[in-house]
């Protein structure tokens, strides 16, 4: 046998209030749900060194979260087996593997130079190829050859072995931050977030991970954009910690044909009568629909439909709701509705 997956997550603020037994049970619930596509419909064995959760499946009269967890677990065919902690080393090795405490020197030198570059000469050459960094380097070497603003800004930087660094005013991280040219930004972002050893951490952890070692202008926005756009994170990470969306705000209606929605369908294959579009108007109160086939979706045929099928047949509604199509914002439709005392309402862009 060999492992096929490792599952873990950090505790939320609410999880930190759980007892040890509840945390052990939470681990079972979370892992089974996470691996559902692999284990559903198959008998599985859960081995634990926490004897209390062996009764999770046979718990009588559960209440609260234990009742909810019991319902979630009811779809799985599993048995829980107790194993002494001293014999359960295979499961504990990842969390209990001894790691030496890093020294201050290790913290200062770790990842100071990107591993994908051979030496400091390569970094110096790439920095000099960047116009903005080249100007800073020139300001450090010869302050009189640049503008006053550039010379003033260059005071926060220094050259060490022809490599540009920035003074770090924060006590956290390296005292001098390696300045990253624009063409190496993606490599830094990838190696600290998307690389297999980086762990696909969230924005905050990735930001501080990079901030303590490197510097470039607009670093915060670049990191946020990169993390939010990571395809692996979007596909695999659950959005459990996001606030739920707001409540729906239903449109209030009172009388028939007080509020009417309108839209165009098509173009379709041309009919025998030469029509390619269909205009649809629906009353919000009664759901009564008026439709008509039109030769085009331009303003004049739509205005005639409104006049013949809505305004003269059902009266003038107070509101006419539509998307932001050019037809509904055209001058002829706008003037017609204005004369008839109808207020035009448009849906939000890209979110109708």
């Amino acid at each position: 046998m060999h492992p096929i997956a490792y599952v873990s997550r950090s505790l939320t603020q609410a999880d930190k209030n759980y007892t040890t037994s509840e945390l052990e049970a939470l681990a079972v619930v979370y892992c089974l749900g996470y691996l559902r596509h692999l284990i559903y419909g198959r008998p599985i064995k859960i081995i634990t060194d926490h004897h209390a959760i062996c009764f999770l499946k046979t718990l009588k009269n559960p209440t609260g979260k234990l009742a909810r967890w019991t319902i979630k677990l009811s779809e799985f065919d599993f048995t829980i087996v107790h194993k002494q902690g001293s014999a359960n080393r295979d499961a504990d090795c990842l969390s209990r593997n001894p790691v030496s405490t890093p020294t201050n020197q290790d913290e200062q030198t770790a990842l100071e130079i990107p591993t994908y570059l051979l030496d400091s000469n390569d970094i110096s050459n790439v920095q000099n190829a960047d116009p903005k960094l080249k100007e800073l380097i020139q300001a450090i070497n010869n302050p009189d050859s640049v503008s006053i603003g550039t010379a003033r800004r260059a005071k926060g930087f220094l050259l060490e072995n022809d490599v540009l660094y920035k003074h770090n005013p924060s006590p956290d991280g390296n005292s001098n931050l390696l300045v990253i040219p624009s063409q190496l930004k993606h490599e830094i972002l990838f190696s600290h977030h998307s690389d297999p050893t980086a762990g696909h951490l969230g924005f905050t952890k990735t930001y501080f991970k990079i901030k303590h070692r490197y510097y470039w202008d607009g670093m915060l926005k670049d990191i946020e954009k990169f993390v939010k756009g990571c395809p692996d994170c979007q596909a695999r990470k659950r959005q459990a910690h996001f606030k739920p969306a707001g409540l729906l705000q239903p449109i209030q209606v009172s009388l028939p044909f007080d509020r009417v929605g309108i839209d165009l369908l098509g173009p379709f294959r041309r009919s025998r009568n030469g029509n390619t579009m269909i205009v649809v108007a629906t009353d919000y109160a009664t759901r009564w629909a008026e439709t008509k086939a039109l030769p085009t979706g331009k303003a004049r045929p739509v205005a005639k439909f409104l006049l013949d099928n809505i305004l003269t047949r059902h009266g003038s509604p107070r509101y006419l709701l539509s998307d932001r199509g050019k037809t509904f914002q055209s001058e002829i439709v706008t003037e017609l509705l204005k004369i008839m005392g109808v207020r035009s309402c448009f849906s939000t862009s890209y979110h109708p």
Side-chain angles (χ1 to χ4, degrees):
M1 294 190 298
H2 61 86
I4 61 171
Y6 294 94
V7 181
S8 67
R9 73 168 176 85
S10 58
L11 297 179
T12 65
Q13 197 62 36
D15 295 341
K16 294 178 181 179
N17 298 324
Y18 290 178
T19 63
T20 303
S21 297
E22 289 174 338
L23 289 175
E24 295 280 351
L26 174 63
V28 173
V29 174
Y30 177 76
C31 291
L32 293 187
Y34 191 89
L35 301 174
R36 184 179 185 276
H37 61 290
L38 297 175
I39 62 177
Y40 183 75
R42 300 181 180 182
I44 59 173
K45 181 189 295 184
I46 300 173
I47 302 175
T48 177
D49 57 5
H50 193 79
H51 195 272
I53 67 169
C54 292
F55 305 99
L56 184 62
K57 191 175 182 180
T58 59
L59 191 64
K60 294 183 179 180
N61 301 322
T63 59
K65 54 180 170 287
L66 290 178
R68 296 192 297 271
W69 291 348
T70 302
I71 294 174
K72 288 184 177 180
L73 295 176
S74 62
E75 66 173 341
F76 298 104
D77 181 12
F78 68 94
T79 55
I80 302 179
V81 179
H82 177 256
K83 188 176 183 180
Q84 290 186 357
S86 58
N88 199 30
R89 296 177 181 177
D90 50 347
D92 292 335
C93 64
L94 293 177
S95 60
R96 301 182 184 179
N97 186 34
V99 179
S100 59
T101 304
T103 63
N104 292 333
Q105 184 178 2
D106 294 334
E107 289 291 334
Q108 290 291 329
T109 58
L111 292 180
E112 185 173 348
I113 303 297
T115 56
Y116 47 82
L117 294 178
L118 297 177
D119 52 35
S120 59
N121 291 330
D122 294 329
I123 300 177
S124 177
N125 294 334
V126 179
Q127 286 180 339
N128 279 280
D130 190 302
K132 293 183 179 180
L133 301 188
K134 184 177 181 180
E135 189 177 16
L136 287 174
I137 295 173
Q138 184 179 356
I140 295 174
N141 292 327
N142 188 7
D144 297 332
S145 63
V146 297
S147 63
I148 297 177
T150 303
R152 186 178 302 166
R153 182 169 179 261
K155 291 182 179 180
F157 297 83
L158 74 153
L159 285 174
E160 189 174 307
N161 297 327
D162 294 329
V163 177
L164 184 64
Y165 291 85
K166 186 181 187 301
H167 293 294
N168 184 12
S170 173
D172 300 325
N174 297 345
S175 57
N176 295 325
L177 306 175
L178 179 64
V179 181
I180 301 299
S182 57
Q183 71 180 79
L184 295 182
K185 290 179 184 178
H186 181 79
E187 283 78 359
I188 293 293
L189 293 169
F190 182 89
S191 63
H192 287 75
H193 176 78
S194 302
D195 190 83
T197 61
H200 285 273
L201 302 177
F203 160 69
T204 303
K205 291 183 179 179
T206 303
Y207 171 67
F208 283 104
K209 191 176 180 182
I210 297 176
K211 178 186 176 183
H212 290 164
R213 295 182 174 92
Y214 307 109
Y215 171 83
W216 69 82
D217 289 338
M219 183 169 65
L220 187 144
K221 290 185 177 180
D222 290 342
I223 296 173
E224 183 179 15
K225 182 179 179 181
F226 186 87
V227 173
K228 286 185 176 180
C230 176
D232 292 332
C233 293
Q234 294 180 28
R236 293 180 174 87
K237 287 189 177 180
R238 297 185 178 183
Q239 311 300 327
H241 303 297
F242 286 1
K243 291 183 179 180
L247 299 177
L248 294 176
Q249 302 295 327
I251 297 176
Q252 300 295 330
V253 294
S254 54
L255 301 174
F257 282 88
D258 178 71
R259 190 183 298 263
V260 176
I262 188 171
D263 201 3
L264 285 169
L265 303 178
F268 300 103
R269 188 171 60 180
R270 189 176 299 276
S271 67
R272 295 179 180 177
N273 297 327
N275 297 315
T276 60
M277 304 290 292
I278 298 176
V279 60
V280 181
T282 305
D283 172 39
Y284 272 75
T286 63
R287 297 299 179 184
W288 179 270
E290 291 281 353
T291 63
K292 186 177 181 180
L294 302 177
T296 66
K298 294 184 178 180
R300 189 173 295 275
V302 172
K304 189 175 186 306
F305 166 79
L306 286 171
L307 182 62
D308 296 341
N309 294 67
I310 303 297
L311 300 176
T312 58
R313 181 178 297 179
H314 302 284
S316 298
R318 283 199 303 165
Y319 302 99
L320 182 71
L321 282 72
S322 68
D323 57 23
R324 295 179 176 269
K326 293 182 179 180
T327 298
F328 304 115
Q329 293 183 327
S330 63
E331 183 178 355
I332 185 172
V333 173
T334 303
E335 286 298 322
L336 174 63
L337 297 178
K338 184 178 180 180
I339 293 173
M340 301 302 294
V342 181
R343 180 180 175 183
S344 297
C345 298
F346 302 105
S347 60
T348 55
S349 301
Y350 304 105
H351 296 83

